[in-house]
Amino acid sequence: MTSGAPEKRRLTILGSTGSIGTNTLDVINQLGGRETFEVAALTGNGNIELLAEQARATGAELAVTANEDQYENLKSALSGTGIEVAAGRSGLIEAAERDAGWVMAAIVGTAGLAPTLAAARRGADIALANKECLVSAGDLFVRAVRAGGGKLLPVDSEHNAIYQVLEEHQRHAVERIILTASGGPFRQSTLAEMRDVTAATARAHPNWSMGLKISIDSASMFNKALEMIEAKHLFGMRPDQIEVIVHPQSVIHSMVGYSDGSVLAQLGCPDMRTAIGYALSHPARPALDVQRLDFAKLSRLDFEAPDEERFPALRLARLAMERGGMQGAILNAAKEVALEAFIGGRTGFLQMAVITEAVMEAMIATPAASTMNDVFAVDEEARRLAKVIAERDAAA
Ligand code: NAD
Ligand code: MG
């Protein structure tokens, strides 16, 4: 460097146009924007206008749309800016492989697996929102991060909370982790009422503002199911050490219980920017303009045991963890197909768990993955089977 100015931190956001992606850009702006950070790459999918606007505003080097059909649109939206443009799967990998020390993994679903893995392999610190990486490829993914030498920083609010209160030097004394769940919009609904809900009501989350799919996954508690499996891999827990408690206010973001009876919790207003900022500034704490908790106004925190009859996803997560092998990948892939069928009005809300369980049962003998290709093959097969079952249901 020629001047005495501090070096800027280079970073990439995979999935910059989504809920986590836009919150990440907000945090980056709060922490100095272009004065402090240099954006290597941004990626999106269909929302070309927003992606182009973000690329221009941040001065990104590369902008990528996952959708190949949108390549020309993105190119013309960014013509004359000098920003490079790419598309499709290879474009996503190119973005992930660009030299950047910190990568936010915020693509939704299994589509995020290959690019996130590419960033992990080259040793970037990974801020992980895309929980599906751990659910589908758990051990392989963790091993790839270790081999690359970067940090794995959980962004999911529950896992970020646990990360904050899990004392590394006391790991041997950790007895359990307790994931909190808001209970979603159907916390107090009856099974009969839940049978008839639509995607429009299921997406209305009481506390958090999130993308469409994760909002519906929260309503069915499939999101919590994925998070149980995510926690197992992130923190090396046995299934019996992972508890879920419904906490409707979403103020306690999760807890760790120790061998002396102590429970440490992380609290805050439900705002993903706290978790994102923590992952961005780790091991320091950033100064963020987010709402502060007002305990007097809050006055109470409630807790209740989750009902596995109305929320069978939790039982399926335990099954997947106990069975091990590829059951996490199978659960996730089948769930994604069932979720799309639900969003499209082709299957019922409760049917999502039925379809997922049927695929898990049908593929119970699948051996554990030795390579990522095994994961992709099983993911594909689980999707195929889930589609057959969902279509059969729709026709019935
Ligand atoms: P979102 O739907 O708002 O955004 C998803 C992003 O992925 C967008 O940038 C979109 O363009 C991109 N994308 C969509 N389909 C793609 C594809 N096929 N290929 C490549 N890119 C694609 O989702 P979100 O709510 O921001 O969630 C992102 C991830 O973070 C998910 O894995 C979710 O489970 C996790 N997460 C989200 C929240 C939250 O508050 N939103 C909290 C915890 C964890
Ligand atoms: Mg979460």
Side-chain angles (χ1 to χ4, degrees):
M1 278 209 314
T2 49
S3 76
E7 210 172 319
K8 291 184 189 175
R9 275 185 76 191
R10 257 171 83 79
L11 55 86
T12 282
I13 306 174
L14 303 171
S16 64
T17 55
S19 166
I20 293 287
T22 48
N23 274 309
T24 304
L25 285 168
D26 183 275
V27 168
I28 286 167
N29 278 334
Q30 286 198 34
L31 300 180
R34 290 175 78 158
E35 298 289 309
T36 317
F37 300 97
E38 197 175 280
V39 173
L42 297 178
T43 83
N45 193 30
N47 193 344
I48 298 303
E49 206 178 313
L50 178 60
L51 177 60
E53 184 190 310
Q54 291 177 336
R56 256 190 251 108
T58 56
E61 224 170 71
L62 170 70
V64 178
T65 165
N67 185 343
E68 275 172 355
D69 299 339
Q70 295 284 354
Y71 175 74
E72 289 301 331
N73 286 343
L74 183 61
K75 207 168 164 55
S76 68
L78 289 173
S79 75
T81 60
I83 297 169
E84 295 166 63
V85 170
R89 284 179 187 217
S90 60
L92 292 177
I93 301 291
E94 192 185 337
E97 286 182 341
R98 277 283 152 112
D99 151 51
W102 187 88
V103 174
M104 168 55 79
I107 290 173
V108 62
T110 319
L113 186 51
T116 307
L117 198 65
R121 282 189 174 136
R122 68 168 177 79
D125 290 340
I126 306 290
L128 189 74
N130 186 206
K131 61 194 84 182
E132 293 85 352
C133 290
L134 285 170
V135 176
S136 292
D139 298 336
L140 286 176
F141 184 78
V142 170
R143 244 182 277 151
V145 177
R146 271 202 206 117
K151 289 193 268 191
L152 184 56
L153 302 154
V155 171
D156 213 348
S157 57
E158 296 77 2
H159 306 75
N160 186 267
I162 292 164
Y163 196 82
Q164 292 194 35
V165 296
L166 208 166
E167 300 170 298
E168 219 25 74
H169 60 288
Q170 298 286 7
R171 246 180 182 279
H172 60 282
V174 173
E175 262 180 7
R176 56 180 177 151
I177 58 177
I178 306 154
L179 297 168
T180 52
S182 71
F186 309 130
R187 181 169 62 89
Q188 292 171 311
S189 306
T190 63
L191 255 184
E193 287 163 347
M194 287 165 77
R195 203 160 285 134
D196 298 325
V197 303
T198 62
T201 43
R203 73 173 302 181
H205 197 276
N207 305 332
W208 298 91
S209 144
M210 307 179 287
L212 172 67
K213 289 184 177 176
I214 187 176
S215 297
I216 296 174
D217 279 350
S218 297
S220 63
M221 288 187 94
F222 259 115
N223 182 48
K224 209 53 56 185
L226 300 186
E227 290 180 354
M228 292 164 76
I229 304 173
E230 181 184 12
K232 170 180 184 276
H233 292 294
L234 266 177
F235 306 115
M237 293 287 145
R238 295 187 314 268
D240 63 287
Q241 291 177 294
I242 302 171
E243 297 176 15
V244 173
I245 188 83
V246 173
H247 163 46
Q249 291 92 354
S250 299
V251 163
I252 297 180
H253 297 148
S254 279
M255 304 178 260
V256 177
Y258 289 91
S259 56
D260 62 352
S262 296
V263 176
L264 301 195
Q266 186 261 351
L267 288 71
C269 292
D271 186 330
M272 288 309 294
R273 292 176 300 178
T274 298
I276 293 167
Y278 188 88
L280 181 59
S281 301
H282 186 268
R285 274 185 198 273
L288 290 180
D289 180 17
V290 294
Q291 205 185 330
R292 289 348 188 211
L293 270 182
D294 181 337
F295 283 93
K297 262 200 196 137
L298 203 61
S299 78
R300 56 184 279 181
L301 296 176
D302 296 308
F303 303 96
E304 57 197 56
D307 175 358
E308 294 198 2
E309 199 195 338
R310 287 182 304 130
F311 299 101
L314 301 177
R315 181 175 55 78
L316 297 185
R318 272 193 206 291
L319 262 185
M321 288 193 291
E322 278 153 16
R323 289 174 178 172
M326 297 284 278
Q327 285 273 303
I330 295 164
L331 177 150
N332 179 58
K335 186 277 295 175
E336 282 193 16
V337 169
L339 174 63
E340 265 154 35
F342 173 66
I343 293 171
R346 297 185 303 281
T347 199
F349 184 74
L350 295 174
Q351 217 39 38
M352 289 192 285
V354 176
I355 293 169
T356 304
E357 184 164 17
V359 178
M360 286 170 68
E361 291 298 327
M363 295 181 71
I364 196 166
T366 313
S370 341
T371 67
M372 271 301 159
N373 283 339
D374 296 342
V375 177
F376 293 125
V378 164
D379 177 272
E380 208 171 294
E381 174 59 10
R383 278 169 206 273
R384 192 192 62 77
L385 254 179
K387 275 187 196 133
V388 171
I389 296 171
E391 272 160 32
R392 196 189 57 202
D393 276 6

